Amino acid sequence: MSTAAPETATPPPARRRRVTSMEVLCAVLVVAMVGQSWIASWLDAPALRTGATIFVAVCVQALPFLVLGVLISGAIAAFVPAGVLDRLLPKREAVAVPVAGLAGVALPTCECAAVPVARRLMRQGVPASVALAFLLAAPAVNPVVLIATSVAFPGNPAMVVARLVGSLATALVMGWLWARFGKAGWIVERALARAPEPTGRARWRTFAETARADLVDAAGFLVVGGLAAAVLNVVIPRSWVDALGAQVVVGVLVMAVLAVVLALCSEADAFVAASISGMPLLAKLVFLVVGPAIDVKLFALQAGTFGRAFALRFAPATFVVATTCAVVSGLLLLGGTP
């Protein structure tokens, strides 16, 4: 009678040890202690100090308004029933787009705050064209921005009117263009997915969780955008801007690109535009209209919120439309003002 050989237990596969964040932190501290003299000299570079200052300034300017935006986003998710906004807006998209643009006048937010609000509007069933019109109008036509513009350009009310008209026209044109040519597939599904409607005490929990999630999501891309703005500010010499600003056409293009690169908050950009000497008033208007519509931090926020397919199409189109609307508004309202 044969006896079966006893089965040998197969040893479990060796688990690969993973490096933890604590070990990474310890390694960084050791490197910092060993090379502290070299790191100190490297950090003392003027370009690095300038970049760090710009990075902090962009983030500090935008963060309070970003918090305001996510609070509004959380309030919409928790306390506004899904069908209310859809019932309040006109049924025709072509008419609802200007209504959303004019609604931006009543909400003093910067461009960063408008992104989570626009996403929340889409999740509540508002057409994307209407939400995008609000996204572009709110940071550019609200009373805070217009008052700041009048203070930065004293004795020149035409500049305030031209900025209002150019920015509102940009929002409406982009909204109508999206209604005609936009595709839902360009926006990631998570930006359009509707959450179940909360009731009772669950509303406050939904408000807190939505605001926290939107803040964490948007703040990371704000940091990326602020870092890009800081790097570009340091890399591009200011002398190039001064030299190219002597001609109106070149000055318009330079200021449009500069608005994208500097990534200023819409409540502060008028003072920067007014301080740039050597630029014609029309070029400064282009700076004020393009900046709140599209810049490097906004591109990062839009890519993270709505997806790269959306941002790669929406950002270039917005840049062209905003520049064109600003030039037309300036030629009509500023005339020959230097």
Side-chain angles (χ1 to χ4, degrees):
M1 184 173 180
S2 60
T3 57
E7 294 183 359
T8 57
T10 303
R15 299 178 64 181
R16 296 181 60 184
R17 187 174 180 277
R18 306 179 69 177
V19 179
T20 65
S21 58
M22 180 61 68
E23 292 169 331
V24 174
L25 177 60
C26 293
V28 171
L29 292 176
V30 170
V31 172
M33 287 187 293
V34 172
Q36 58 180 332
S37 58
W38 177 82
I39 294 174
S41 62
W42 182 70
L43 290 175
D44 196 42
L48 189 61
R49 290 201 304 269
T50 302
T53 302
I54 294 171
F55 170 74
V56 173
V58 169
C59 293
V60 169
Q61 282 181 338
L63 190 58
F65 296 97
L66 182 61
V67 172
L68 174 62
V70 300
L71 291 177
I72 295 173
S73 172
I76 293 174
F79 303 110
V80 178
V84 169
L85 295 174
D86 192 38
R87 289 195 298 268
L88 291 177
L89 289 169
K91 298 304 179 183
R92 294 180 57 189
E93 279 191 65
V95 181
V97 166
V99 171
L102 293 175
V105 177
L107 187 60
T109 65
C110 79
E111 53 273 20
C112 298
V115 173
V117 176
R119 177 174 63 178
R120 187 58 52 188
L121 292 175
M122 292 182 188
R123 287 185 171 181
Q124 294 294 84
V126 174
S129 59
V130 178
L132 295 176
F134 175 84
L135 168 70
L136 295 174
V141 302
N142 67 73
V144 176
V145 170
L146 298 179
I147 292 173
T149 305
S150 66
V151 173
F153 294 89
N156 195 351
M159 190 67 170
V160 180
V161 178
R163 180 176 192 178
L164 171 63
V165 172
S167 298
L168 190 57
T170 300
L172 300 187
V173 170
M174 286 303 300
W176 286 326
L177 285 176
W178 183 270
R180 177 65 179 83
F181 301 105
K183 297 180 180 179
W186 293 343
I187 302 178
V188 293
E189 292 183 4
R190 68 175 183 273
L192 302 176
R194 294 195 184 188
E197 188 173 332
T199 57
R201 294 184 178 180
R203 293 180 182 272
W204 289 104
R205 184 167 60 253
T206 300
F207 168 74
E209 292 177 353
T210 301
R212 178 188 56 80
D214 285 351
L215 180 61
V216 172
D217 191 19
F221 291 98
L222 172 62
V223 170
V224 173
L227 183 60
V231 172
L232 292 173
N233 271 274
V234 173
V235 170
I236 299 177
R238 187 59 175 270
S239 58
W240 292 8
V241 179
D242 296 335
L244 294 174
Q247 301 181 13
V248 176
V249 176
V250 178
V252 165
L253 295 177
V254 168
M255 290 295 279
V257 174
L258 196 63
V260 176
V261 170
L262 292 182
L264 298 173
C265 189
S266 57
E267 279 80 8
D269 58 0
F271 300 98
V272 176
S275 66
I276 300 178
S277 58
M279 285 290 180
L281 203 59
L282 179 61
K284 295 181 179 181
L285 175 64
V286 171
F287 180 88
L288 297 179
V289 174
V290 172
I294 182 62
D295 57 35
V296 290
K297 73 175 185 300
L298 259 180
F299 179 81
L301 282 167
Q302 291 173 3
T305 303
F306 302 114
R308 284 188 299 175
F310 169 86
L312 290 174
R313 292 171 172 84
F314 190 75
T318 302
F319 179 82
V320 173
V321 170
T323 304
T324 303
C325 290
V327 170
V328 173
S329 175
L331 292 176
L332 292 176
L333 298 172
L334 298 179
T337 307

